[in-house]
Amino acid sequence: MEKFPLKGSREAAAEGNSYITAYQTVMKKSNGHTSSAGAEGEGDANYHDHPLAPHTKLTTSLTAPATDDEDMIDITPRSSPGDVIGGGGGSSSGGYHRETATESDTERDFEHAGNHHNQRTMHHHHHQHVPTHSAFGDPMDGALSFYGSSDVQDDIPGIGQYEDFHTIDWQRDIARDRMRHRYIVKKRQDSVWDLIKGSIDAGSGWLCVLLVGIAAGCVAGMVDIGASWMSDLKHGICPPAFWFNREQCCYPAKQSVFEEGNCSTWKTWPEIFGLSRNGTGPYIISYIWYVLWALLFASLSASLVRMFAPYACGSGIPEIKTILSGFIIRGYLGKWTLLIKSVGLMLSVSAGLTLGKEGPMVHIASCIGNIFSHLFPKYGRNEAKKREILSAAAAAGVSVAFGAPIGGVLFSLEEVSYYFPLKTLWRSFFCALIAAFVLRSLTPFGNEHSVLFFVEYNKPWIFFELIPFVFLGIMGGVIGTFFIKANLWWCRYRKFSKLGQYPVMEVLFVTLVTGIICYPNPFTRMNMNELIFLLVSKCSPGDVTNPLCEYKRMNITMGNSVIEVTEPGPGVYSSIWLLMLTFILKLALTIFTFGMKVPAGLFIPSLLLGAIMGRIVGIGVEQFAYSYPNIWFFTGECADSNLITPGLYAVVGAAAVLGGVTRMTVSLVVIMFELTGGVRYIVPLMAAAMASKWVGDALGRQGIYDAHIALNGYPFLDSKEEFAHTTLAADVMQPKRNETLNVITQDSMTVDDVENLLKETEHNGYPVVVSRENQYLVGFVLRRDLNLAIGNAKRLIEGISSSSIVLFTSTTPTQNLGPQPLKLKKILDMAPITVTDQTPMETVVDMFRKLGLRQTLVTHNGRLLGVITKKDVLRHVKQMDNEDPNTVLFN
């Protein structure tokens, strides 16, 4: 066999491609192209003389065990010399035929959607073909000579996209977008039409988030209006106009929640049946109707989720967080999920279950972001770019849920987003602003403020009060941690017991229990939003409808001034007992409700628990000040009137518990003061949020969302955590020592050999080496791309048979006497990220986090040793932390 050089034939057309230019200085120019690309471990100029192996049939010398390692490699070619930059990673809602053998198992592993994984979610997508576009828009846009492909239409359909439940390759997608952008900028000078197209492309991001903001505001308005109408339907109806809720029906009378008597237009169910409003009979009828309506709404919600969109259950934030970190869950952000989540959310909130609509609003907004991103190929076809729109959509979701646009942006930055460049921050700000504006014009909150619990406290807080505020923070951390541990225990039990097989029955049972035990107590019977508003509002003189405000007022003389003091009446004491009972019931019910198969958020129940705790503490501090007005820290402070506002304690307590459950800090404080309009109380809120985070972190590391990500086994590498162990890449890589690695040689395997390798192993990609003897790295090729390319070649290229040699080089061996060779250089990733076997794992983990890698190849003196995938890294981190590494299910 003739010898021919390894590197001399590599072409690179990566003009200015960021991570390739780094190598160009080292490499020799060749073939009149820009340069040869390679990395330290990839067979440098020194190895030009190595003979390539003769064309013998082999299945490869380096074989890794196929048994436990289906996860060995989960990789996609980066845009690099020899790569065809194919279509973007496909929508999260579009289905297509799966190629790999591992997928059926992966899907079985995916508990989250139950036994009916996505059947309905995807059924209407199956007829879509996978786009065959190039990186630069539609194939019709004109031919382009690119990476050895003479024309854009030469691209193999489906190359460069991702399988379901796989991680995206951030580096490749971002590089692809850069190349697309360079191409558009270059074309701008050609004609006016190209200039216009370039300008439209530049503004498409802003236009997309504008549409997302408008749609999110409209959907949120509909959900709010529908939920408030159906919630009131449990109590009665408005005969003059049945589509009015109680507030609109009684609008001229302006009654509060507790006072139903004066509103003649609103009819309760006993009145509809001709009975009076009060009495034993009417009470029993009201009770029965309340429970029946709750059961109807809950069963509808659970059945819709079960039949049409299994992904619409839960809050959705753990999955959104995972998707934004670069994971593909097809159908999770699809049209069916959006529709069923919106309708199911109205129903489950109206059923009176202890859940909020704030978390699901983030999921709904992200669905809207995903759907609109497909109008713009720049985002719809590039998974990394799509995540910029999804981050902005998540901000809009919180913005419309609370009427807190800035809080929404900070929530997206602090809690859900993984990759958040400055450009995304501005777009998120714009998206949240538009969404809040649209929602404000629909005014579902029904008052002149666009926020949920607007309160006006005009009294300043005194320095002494920081002690109870910090105490509330500590309690919030304790309650939050208790809730996380209890809820996780229950979710784990549900997942691994028979209970998980009967999701609708579970929902109905919890609804029945909730309805029966919540109706007798007026605080648990009312809507949770109304109860929080009651708890955070201040008592004005003469407020007789709110039992928390039943104070005896009297004037006493202190020195020269007369001040008014208040002493709690019997209503306040009975309310405190009812509130304590409410707290215990709501805490228990939330533990069992969060994680059921209905759309369910966690913000409102957490805020409610904290507000109850805060109001009780506030009344206690107020009475302390009333009983001992002459203590030194009150002296001089209480000269005009009593300064303690129990409502403020409810706000601080609400922030503390929500902080303890979710471990948010900055965004939490901003959401809370936007929510209540209490800007002067930022310091108390900060003190409570910080105390609750410290206590929560001391008692248990994970917030509720991270805990649910771990429970579901999603591949999420948390960028907040440190890796503090001293292991090396060689300890983690697959295959282990004394085992062999499956590779493909660059020019000595036949189509038959490659197909056998694909059948015998289940890895998601294979390193390409010079030959069996010379295990110097040439590049990396994906299983999916190999399958597509071989299938495509057999269909379309004459002369390709199972004994054709598969070539990953540009030159054809001169002595090739057999059938026509199959050239697959264009699907080869020639610049895979490599590390040496002595690289500390700390560095490797950092590379996975900060570069968004799917895998890295391990070399020693330039020779290939093994591969580290994201799954290997996650399992290693778990092992080092003494947790079960087998909980990581996906690549």
Side-chain angles (χ1 to χ4, degrees):
M1 284 306 297
E2 265 196 27
K3 300 178 183 179
F4 52 95
L6 166 66
K7 297 287 288 195
S9 59
R10 294 208 199 159
E11 299 156 17
E15 127 204 351
N17 213 352
S18 61
Y19 53 87
I20 292 167
T21 41
Y23 304 136
Q24 288 177 348
T25 50
V26 189
M27 302 305 160
K28 292 183 177 177
K29 303 245 177 192
S30 70
N31 283 8
H33 282 262
T34 48
S35 73
S36 297
E40 306 104 76
E42 294 187 18
D44 234 321
N46 318 357
Y47 307 125
H48 272 227
D49 301 329
H50 283 299
L52 297 172
H55 298 305
T56 51
K57 257 197 167 194
L58 63 136
T59 323
T60 65
S61 64
L62 305 120
T63 25
T67 48
D68 100 55
D69 246 313
E70 98 285 354
D71 44 294
M72 186 174 121
I73 298 171
D74 180 13
I75 321 169
T76 315
R78 281 175 201 80
S79 79
S80 55
D83 186 9
V84 147
I85 297 192
S91 79
S92 291
S93 60
Y96 55 78
H97 177 66
R98 302 214 167 90
E99 301 287 347
T100 59
T102 57
E103 286 313 301
S104 54
D105 302 332
T106 317
E107 296 224 40
R108 275 200 295 278
D109 285 340
F110 190 59
E111 275 287 330
H112 186 66
N115 306 329
H116 37 268
H117 168 74
N118 249 8
Q119 289 160 354
R120 302 281 177 147
T121 321
M122 320 249 308
H123 79 274
H124 68 306
H125 292 302
H126 275 306
H127 302 300
Q128 295 178 353
H129 71 287
V130 176
T132 59
H133 54 272
S134 76
F136 308 115
D138 289 312
M140 298 297 122
D141 288 352
L144 169 76
S145 181
F146 180 62
Y147 283 179
S149 99
S150 57
D151 192 325
V152 177
Q153 276 108 326
D154 286 355
D155 286 2
I156 298 160
I159 291 280
Q161 296 183 328
Y162 300 98
E163 295 288 359
D164 204 357
F165 301 121
H166 279 195
T167 306
I168 70 166
D169 194 322
W170 289 90
Q171 293 301 307
R172 189 201 70 155
D173 281 3
I174 290 167
R176 263 182 49 219
D177 186 67
R178 271 194 228 109
M179 297 212 57
R180 189 197 58 79
H181 181 66
R182 271 198 295 274
Y183 172 72
I184 287 172
V185 169
K186 206 162 138 195
K187 289 272 282 183
R188 269 184 186 174
Q189 290 121 25
D190 295 359
S191 67
V192 178
W193 173 237
D194 283 318
L195 184 66
I196 293 168
K197 277 207 297 191
S199 309
I200 291 170
D201 181 76
S204 62
W206 291 101
L207 180 59
C208 189
V209 294
L210 171 73
L211 295 173
V212 170
I214 292 170
C218 294
V219 172
M222 289 193 299
V223 168
D224 283 339
I225 290 164
S228 71
W229 178 73
M230 287 196 287
S231 295
D232 286 343
L233 197 60
K234 296 205 302 287
H235 300 284
I237 199 164
C238 191
F242 71 89
W243 57 89
F244 277 4
N245 63 11
R246 180 164 55 191
E247 188 183 1
Q248 291 161 323
C249 198
C250 301
Y251 190 71
K254 276 277 189 193
Q255 266 100 38
S256 84
V257 185
F258 268 86
E259 189 181 25
E260 290 181 348
N262 301 343
C263 181
S264 53
T265 41
W266 176 260
K267 296 276 186 266
T268 60
W269 290 112
E271 285 178 297
I272 299 287
F273 293 115
L275 295 165
S276 66
R277 188 168 280 206
N278 301 314
T280 315
Y283 180 84
I284 292 168
I285 288 177
S286 300
Y287 202 148
I288 291 168
W289 273 95
Y290 179 89
V291 174
L292 286 179
W293 278 112
L295 284 171
L296 174 71
F297 293 149
S299 60
L300 262 176
S301 177
S303 306
L304 285 173
V305 167
R306 173 158 192 180
M307 287 192 292
F308 297 106
Y311 281 153
C313 64
S315 94
I317 292 181
E319 283 80 9
I320 299 294
K321 214 171 158 173
T322 312
I323 287 170
L324 286 177
S325 78
F327 191 54
I328 302 269
I329 307 179
R330 294 207 182 284
Y332 201 83
L333 300 177
K335 304 177 191 70
W336 275 104
T337 309
L338 168 65
L339 180 67
I340 300 299
K341 187 105 183 183
S342 312
V343 175
L345 184 58
M346 286 191 259
L347 289 163
S348 55
V349 168
S350 324
L353 290 163
T354 43
L355 44 84
K357 54 179 182 287
E358 281 57 35
M361 281 311 305
V362 174
H363 186 180
I364 287 171
S366 300
C367 290
I368 292 168
N370 177 56
I371 289 163
F372 276 110
S373 71
H374 290 292
L375 301 179
F376 305 91
K378 172 179 176 182
Y379 295 102
R381 292 168 174 174
N382 189 316
E383 290 291 339
K385 293 292 285 178
K386 184 191 284 177
R387 275 147 183 75
E388 294 178 17
I389 300 292
L390 295 182
S391 289
V398 174
S399 168
V400 292
F402 290 116
I406 301 172
V409 176
L410 289 172
F411 176 79
S412 181
L413 170 63
E414 182 184 6
E415 191 61 28
V416 291
S417 292
Y418 197 79
Y419 169 69
F420 204 82
L422 204 55
K423 184 171 58 177
T424 307
L425 179 73
W426 300 328
R427 285 192 184 143
S428 302
F429 185 78
F430 178 64
C431 191
L433 157 82
I434 295 293
F437 172 75
V438 170
L439 186 67
R440 176 71 188 82
S441 55
L442 298 173
T443 59
F445 297 123
N447 54 14
E448 61 273 26
H449 305 288
S450 64
V451 295
L452 219 46
F453 315 117
F454 187 80
V455 289
E456 278 175 290
Y457 308 133
N458 42 20
K459 299 174 180 175
W461 54 279
I462 54 178
F463 189 72
F464 151 77
E465 287 184 278
L466 273 181
I467 298 168
F469 290 150
V470 170
F471 168 73
L472 282 174
I474 293 167
M475 288 303 295
V478 172
I479 291 166
T481 310
F482 170 74
F483 171 77
I484 292 169
K485 289 196 156 62
N487 179 252
L488 266 194
W489 173 82
W490 177 246
C491 286
R492 207 170 279 121
Y493 174 76
R494 175 194 291 125
K495 192 171 180 177
F496 297 114
S497 71
K498 280 200 169 164
L499 181 66
Q501 297 166 19
Y502 305 103
V504 180
M505 291 308 295
E506 182 195 3
V507 171
L508 288 179
F509 181 73
V510 172
T511 311
L512 184 68
V513 171
T514 305
I516 288 171
I517 63 178
C518 285
Y519 188 83
N521 180 344
F523 287 124
T524 48
R525 184 191 319 166
M526 68 172 75
N527 204 331
M528 278 196 282
N529 289 6
E530 292 169 352
L531 178 53
I532 296 174
F533 185 69
L534 207 66
L535 292 164
V536 299
S537 52
K538 63 173 185 177
C539 292
S540 48
D543 187 351
V544 289
T545 57
N546 184 349
L548 285 167
C549 291
E550 201 179 298
Y551 286 96
K552 298 173 189 156
R553 298 175 182 277
M554 56 187 101
N555 295 336
I556 57 169
T557 310
M558 279 184 74
N560 302 329
S561 59
V562 176
I563 61 167
E564 184 191 51
V565 294
T566 54
E567 186 186 350
V572 175
Y573 289 118
S574 66
S575 294
I576 288 178
W577 286 111
L578 279 178
L579 282 177
M580 284 178 176
L581 186 64
T582 304
F583 180 86
I584 294 164
L585 287 182
K586 290 288 181 188
L587 179 60
L589 287 171
T590 311
I591 288 167
F592 291 110
T593 307
F594 188 70
M596 285 196 316
K597 298 293 182 233
V598 287
L602 201 56
F603 278 59
I604 292 290
S606 308
L607 290 174
L608 175 63
L609 293 172
I612 293 173
M613 174 179 77
R615 185 79 187 204
I616 293 172
V617 170
I619 292 172
V621 174
E622 185 185 39
Q623 287 322 297
F624 179 70
Y626 162 70
S627 307
Y628 306 101
N630 298 322
I631 296 181
W632 59 272
F633 43 74
F634 290 137
T635 315
E637 300 276 8
C638 295
D640 50 352
S641 68
N642 51 329
L643 273 177
I644 312 293
T645 314
L648 169 61
Y649 285 80
V651 173
V652 173
V657 172
L658 187 54
V661 170
T662 61
R663 305 295 153 82
M664 299 189 302
T665 48
V666 184
S667 49
L668 173 71
V669 171
V670 175
I671 286 173
M672 287 310 295
F673 83 72
E674 280 190 281
L675 205 57
T676 55
V679 184
R680 61 162 63 172
Y681 305 113
I682 290 179
V683 173
L685 286 169
M686 286 172 76
M690 213 58 247
S692 90
K693 181 168 173 58
W694 281 338
V695 171
D697 284 348
L699 296 174
R701 255 183 351 170
Q702 295 176 310
I704 186 77
Y705 300 132
D706 292 331
H708 275 267
I709 286 173
L711 179 70
N712 288 326
Y714 298 134
F716 182 73
L717 256 181
D718 197 348
S719 46
K720 298 188 196 85
E721 289 180 9
E722 304 270 318
F723 182 81
H725 308 287
T726 53
T727 46
L728 299 176
D731 305 328
V732 181
M733 71 176 194
Q734 300 287 351
K736 297 284 177 245
R737 298 228 185 330
N738 310 325
E739 295 171 358
T740 44
L741 166 66
N742 288 335
V743 295
I744 293 174
T745 56
Q746 69 173 2
D747 61 352
S748 57
M749 286 176 72
T750 62
V751 171
D752 213 17
D753 297 332
V754 174
E755 286 184 325
N756 283 337
L757 179 66
L758 290 170
K759 274 189 202 121
E760 288 161 16
T761 60
E762 294 186 334
H763 311 313
N764 290 316
Y766 302 88
V768 178
V769 295
V770 175
S771 69
R772 191 163 29 169
E773 292 78 24
N774 283 339
Q775 287 153 22
Y776 289 111
L777 187 62
V778 175
F780 196 90
V781 66
L782 268 190
R783 173 194 198 91
R784 173 181 163 74
D785 292 356
L786 263 179
N787 270 321
L788 287 169
I790 291 174
N792 198 54
K794 280 184 168 176
R795 276 200 318 275
L796 304 178
I797 304 173
E798 283 182 29
I800 297 290
S801 71
S802 56
S803 54
S804 297
I805 296 289
V806 178
L807 289 182
F808 289 98
T809 60
S810 299
T811 50
T812 310
T814 47
Q815 292 181 352
N816 180 28
L817 305 172
Q820 182 184 344
L822 171 57
K823 292 187 176 179
L824 292 183
K825 187 179 175 196
K826 62 181 181 179
I827 64 166
L828 181 66
D829 174 10
M830 294 178 66
I833 303 269
T834 58
V835 295
T836 67
D837 55 339
Q838 295 303 303
T839 310
M841 270 314 285
E842 199 175 350
T843 309
V844 175
V845 171
D846 257 3
M847 286 169 71
F848 273 88
R849 274 185 195 143
K850 290 173 182 162
L851 296 176
L853 303 184
R854 305 177 83 192
Q855 87 295 323
T856 178
L857 303 177
V858 184
T859 60
H860 177 70
N861 294 346
R863 291 175 186 270
L864 179 68
L865 280 187
V867 186
I868 299 176
T869 64
K870 189 172 183 180
K871 190 168 180 179
D872 297 329
V873 172
L874 285 158
R875 284 186 162 167
H876 181 67
V877 169
K878 283 214 179 287
Q879 215 167 346
M880 291 284 111
D881 295 341
N882 296 321
E883 292 172 31
D884 178 15
N886 295 321
T887 53
V888 181
L889 300 178
F890 307 115
N891 289 310

